[in-house]
Coordinates of all heavy atoms in Angstrom, one line a residue:
L25 N -0.4 61.1 7.3 CA -0.8 60.4 8.6 C -1.9 61.0 9.4 O -2.6 60.2 10.0 CB 0.5 60.4 9.6 CG 1.8 59.8 9.0 CD1 2.9 60.0 10.0 CD2 1.6 58.4 8.7
R26 N -2.2 62.2 9.1 CA -3.3 62.9 9.9 C -4.5 63.0 9.0 O -5.5 63.4 9.4 CB -2.9 64.1 10.4 CG -1.7 64.2 11.3 CD -2.0 65.0 12.5 NE -0.9 64.9 13.5 CZ -0.7 64.1 14.4 NH1 -1.5 63.1 14.7 NH2 0.3 64.1 15.2
D27 N -4.5 62.6 7.7 CA -5.6 62.7 6.8 C -6.7 61.6 7.0 O -6.2 60.5 7.2 CB -5.1 62.7 5.3 CG -4.2 63.7 4.9 OD1 -4.2 64.9 5.6 OD2 -3.4 63.6 3.9
P28 N -7.9 62.0 7.1 CA -8.9 61.0 7.3 C -9.0 60.2 6.1 O -9.0 60.7 5.0 CB -10.1 61.7 7.5 CG -9.9 63.2 7.2 CD -8.5 63.3 7.2
I29 N -9.3 58.9 6.2 CA -9.4 57.9 5.1 C -10.4 56.8 5.5 O -10.4 56.4 6.6 CB -8.1 57.3 4.6 CG1 -8.3 56.4 3.4 CG2 -7.3 56.5 5.7 CD1 -7.1 56.1 2.6
Q30 N -11.3 56.5 4.6 CA -12.2 55.4 4.7 C -12.0 54.4 3.7 O -11.8 54.6 2.6 CB -13.6 56.0 4.5 CG -14.7 54.8 4.7 CD -16.0 55.4 4.6 OE1 -16.3 56.6 4.7 NE2 -17.1 54.6 4.5
V31 N -11.7 53.1 4.2 CA -11.4 51.9 3.4 C -12.4 50.8 3.7 O -12.6 50.4 4.9 CB -10.0 51.5 3.7 CG1 -9.6 50.2 2.9 CG2 -9.0 52.5 3.4
D32 N -13.1 50.2 2.7 CA -13.8 49.0 2.8 C -13.3 47.9 2.1 O -13.2 47.9 0.8 CB -15.3 49.4 2.3 CG -16.3 48.3 2.7 OD1 -15.9 47.2 3.0 OD2 -17.5 48.7 2.6
L33 N -12.8 46.9 2.8 CA -12.3 45.7 2.1 C -13.1 44.5 2.4 O -12.7 43.3 2.3 CB -10.9 45.4 2.7 CG -9.8 46.5 2.4 CD1 -8.5 46.1 3.1 CD2 -9.6 46.7 1.0
S34 N -14.3 44.7 2.8 CA -15.3 43.7 3.3 C -15.7 42.7 2.2 O -15.6 43.0 1.0 CB -16.6 44.3 3.8 OG -16.4 45.2 4.7
S35 N -15.9 41.5 2.5 CA -16.5 40.5 1.7 C -15.5 40.2 0.5 O -15.9 40.2 -0.7 CB -17.8 40.8 1.1 OG -18.7 40.9 2.2
N36 N -14.3 39.9 0.8 CA -13.3 39.4 -0.1 C -12.8 38.0 0.5 O -13.5 37.5 1.3 CB -12.2 40.4 -0.3 CG -12.5 41.5 -1.2 OD1 -12.6 41.4 -2.4 ND2 -12.8 42.7 -0.6
S37 N -11.7 37.6 0.1 CA -11.0 36.5 0.7 C -9.7 36.8 1.2 O -8.6 36.0 1.1 CB -10.9 35.3 -0.3 OG -12.2 34.8 -0.6
L38 N -9.5 38.0 1.8 CA -8.2 38.4 2.4 C -8.0 37.6 3.7 O -8.9 37.2 4.4 CB -8.3 39.9 2.7 CG -8.5 40.8 1.5 CD1 -8.8 42.2 1.9 CD2 -7.2 40.7 0.5
S39 N -6.7 37.3 4.0 CA -6.4 36.5 5.1 C -5.1 36.9 5.7 O -4.6 38.0 5.4 CB -6.0 35.1 4.5 OG -5.1 35.0 3.5
G40 N -4.7 36.1 6.7 CA -3.5 36.5 7.5 C -3.8 37.5 8.6 O -4.9 37.5 9.2
T41 N -2.8 38.3 9.0 CA -2.9 39.2 10.1 C -3.0 40.6 9.5 O -2.3 40.9 8.5 CB -1.6 39.1 11.0 OG1 -1.6 37.8 11.5 CG2 -1.6 40.1 12.1
V42 N -3.8 41.4 10.1 CA -3.9 42.8 9.6 C -2.5 43.5 10.0 O -2.1 43.3 11.2 CB -5.1 43.5 10.4 CG1 -5.0 45.1 9.9 CG2 -6.4 42.9 10.1
P43 N -1.9 44.2 9.0 CA -0.5 44.6 9.3 C -0.4 45.8 10.3 O -1.3 46.7 10.2 CB 0.1 45.2 7.9 CG -1.2 45.4 7.2 CD -2.3 44.5 7.7
T44 N 0.5 45.7 11.2 CA 0.7 46.8 12.2 C 1.1 48.1 11.6 O 0.9 49.1 12.3 CB 1.8 46.4 13.3 OG1 3.0 46.1 12.6 CG2 1.4 45.1 14.0
D45 N 1.5 48.0 10.3 CA 1.9 49.3 9.6 C 0.8 50.3 9.5 O 1.0 51.5 9.4 CB 2.5 49.0 8.3 CG 3.8 48.0 8.4 OD1 3.6 46.9 8.7 OD2 4.9 48.7 8.2
L46 N -0.5 49.8 9.6 CA -1.6 50.7 9.4 C -1.7 51.5 10.7 O -2.4 52.5 10.7 CB -2.9 49.8 9.3 CG -3.1 49.1 8.0 CD1 -4.4 48.3 8.0 CD2 -3.2 50.1 6.9
D47 N -1.0 51.2 11.7 CA -0.9 52.0 13.0 C -0.5 53.4 12.7 O -0.8 54.3 13.5 CB 0.0 51.3 14.0 CG -0.1 51.7 15.4 OD1 -1.2 52.2 15.7 OD2 1.0 51.7 16.1
L48 N 0.1 53.7 11.5 CA 0.6 55.0 11.3 C -0.5 56.0 10.9 O -0.4 57.2 10.9 CB 1.6 55.0 10.2 CG 2.9 54.3 10.5 CD1 3.8 54.1 9.2 CD2 3.6 54.9 11.6
L49 N -1.6 55.4 10.5 CA -2.8 56.3 10.1 C -3.6 56.6 11.3 O -4.1 55.7 12.1 CB -3.6 55.5 9.1 CG -2.9 55.1 7.8 CD1 -3.8 54.1 7.0 CD2 -2.6 56.4 7.0
N50 N -3.7 57.9 11.6 CA -4.5 58.3 12.8 C -6.0 58.3 12.7 O -6.7 58.2 13.7 CB -4.0 59.6 13.2 CG -2.5 59.7 13.6 OD1 -2.0 58.7 14.1 ND2 -1.8 60.7 13.4
Q51 N -6.6 58.5 11.5 CA -8.0 58.7 11.2 C -8.4 57.8 10.3 O -9.0 58.2 9.2 CB -8.2 60.2 10.9 CG -7.9 61.2 12.0 CD -8.3 62.6 11.6 OE1 -9.5 62.8 11.3 NE2 -7.5 63.5 11.4
L52 N -8.3 56.5 10.5 CA -8.7 55.5 9.5 C -10.1 54.9 10.0 O -10.3 54.6 11.2 CB -7.7 54.3 9.6 CG -8.0 53.1 8.8 CD1 -8.0 53.5 7.2 CD2 -6.9 51.9 9.0
T53 N -11.0 54.9 9.0 CA -12.2 54.1 9.2 C -12.0 52.9 8.2 O -11.9 53.1 7.0 CB -13.5 54.9 8.8 OG1 -13.4 56.0 9.6 CG2 -14.6 54.1 8.9
I54 N -12.0 51.6 8.8 CA -11.7 50.5 8.0 C -12.8 49.4 8.2 O -13.1 49.1 9.5 CB -10.2 50.0 8.2 CG1 -9.9 48.9 7.1 CG2 -10.1 49.6 9.6 CD1 -8.5 48.7 7.1
Y55 N -13.3 48.9 7.1 CA -14.3 47.8 7.3 C -13.5 46.5 6.7 O -13.2 46.5 5.5 CB -15.5 48.2 6.5 CG -16.1 49.4 7.0 CD1 -16.1 50.6 6.3 CD2 -16.7 49.5 8.2 CE1 -16.6 51.7 6.6 CE2 -17.3 50.7 8.8 CZ -17.2 51.8 7.9 OH -17.7 53.0 8.4
L56 N -13.5 45.5 7.5 CA -12.8 44.3 7.2 C -13.7 43.0 7.3 O -13.1 41.9 7.1 CB -11.6 44.1 8.1 CG -10.5 45.2 8.0 CD1 -9.5 45.1 9.1 CD2 -9.9 45.2 6.5
R57 N -14.9 43.1 7.6 CA -15.8 42.0 7.8 C -15.9 41.1 6.7 O -15.6 41.4 5.6 CB -17.2 42.4 8.1 CG -18.0 42.9 7.0 CD -19.4 43.4 7.2 NE -20.0 43.9 6.1 CZ -19.9 45.2 5.7 NH1 -19.3 46.1 6.5 NH2 -20.5 45.7 4.7
D58 N -16.2 39.7 7.0 CA -16.5 38.8 6.0 C -15.2 38.4 5.1 O -15.3 38.4 3.9 CB -17.7 39.1 5.2 CG -18.2 38.0 4.4 OD1 -17.9 36.7 4.8 OD2 -18.9 38.1 3.4
N59 N -14.1 38.2 5.7 CA -12.8 37.8 5.1 C -12.3 36.6 5.9 O -13.1 36.0 6.5 CB -11.8 39.0 5.1 CG -12.0 40.0 4.0 OD1 -11.7 39.7 2.8 ND2 -12.5 41.2 4.3
K60 N -11.1 36.3 5.8 CA -10.5 35.1 6.5 C -9.3 35.5 7.4 O -8.3 34.9 7.4 CB -10.1 34.1 5.5 CG -11.3 33.6 4.6 CD -10.8 32.7 3.5 CE -12.0 32.3 2.7 NZ -11.6 31.3 1.6
F61 N -9.4 36.7 8.0 CA -8.3 37.2 8.9 C -8.2 36.2 10.0 O -9.2 35.9 10.8 CB -8.5 38.6 9.4 CG -8.4 39.5 8.2 CD1 -9.5 40.3 7.6 CD2 -7.2 39.8 7.6 CE1 -9.5 41.1 6.7 CE2 -7.1 40.7 6.6 CZ -8.2 41.4 6.1
T62 N -6.9 35.9 10.5 CA -6.6 35.1 11.5 C -5.9 35.8 12.6 O -5.6 35.4 13.7 CB -5.8 34.0 11.2 OG1 -4.6 34.3 10.5 CG2 -6.6 32.9 10.3
G63 N -5.5 37.2 12.4 CA -4.9 37.9 13.4 C -5.2 39.5 13.4 O -5.3 40.0 12.3
L64 N -5.3 40.0 14.5 CA -5.5 41.4 14.7 C -4.6 41.9 15.8 O -4.8 41.7 17.0 CB -6.9 41.8 15.0 CG -7.3 43.2 15.2 CD1 -7.0 44.1 13.9 CD2 -8.8 43.3 15.5
P65 N -3.4 42.5 15.5 CA -2.5 43.0 16.5 C -3.1 43.9 17.4 O -3.7 44.9 17.1 CB -1.3 43.6 15.8 CG -1.5 43.1 14.3 CD -2.9 42.8 14.1
P66 N -2.9 43.7 18.9 CA -3.5 44.6 19.8 C -3.0 45.9 19.7 O -3.6 46.9 20.1 CB -3.0 43.9 21.1 CG -2.7 42.5 20.8 CD -2.2 42.4 19.4
T67 N -1.8 46.2 19.1 CA -1.3 47.6 18.9 C -2.1 48.4 18.0 O -2.1 49.6 18.2 CB 0.1 47.5 18.4 OG1 0.2 46.8 17.2 CG2 1.1 46.9 19.4
L68 N -2.9 47.8 17.2 CA -3.9 48.5 16.4 C -5.1 49.1 17.2 O -5.8 49.9 16.7 CB -4.3 47.7 15.2 CG -3.3 47.3 14.2 CD1 -3.9 46.4 13.1 CD2 -2.6 48.5 13.6

């Protein structure tokens, strides 16, 4: 949970809502641009 992690999922065809379960990661750098996401929970 406290480990830094960098994730790049940019430029795919991922869709839906970003899962709130990612909330458990404290030091996440995540790139999600250029997909088909329709939801981003405010809790994130």
Side-chain angles (χ1 to χ4, degrees):
L25 302 181
R26 302 226 181 268
D27 294 340
I29 182 165
Q30 181 175 342
V31 177
D32 192 344
L33 300 175
S34 302
S35 301
N36 280 286
S37 290
L38 297 170
S39 60
T41 299
V42 178
T44 57
D45 300 74
L46 290 176
D47 197 25
L48 297 173
L49 299 169
N50 294 330
Q51 296 186 57
L52 177 64
T53 300
I54 190 164
Y55 303 108
L56 300 170
R57 74 179 173 274
D58 197 24
N59 277 287
K60 298 176 181 177
F61 291 111
T62 54
L64 179 61
T67 58
L68 295 179

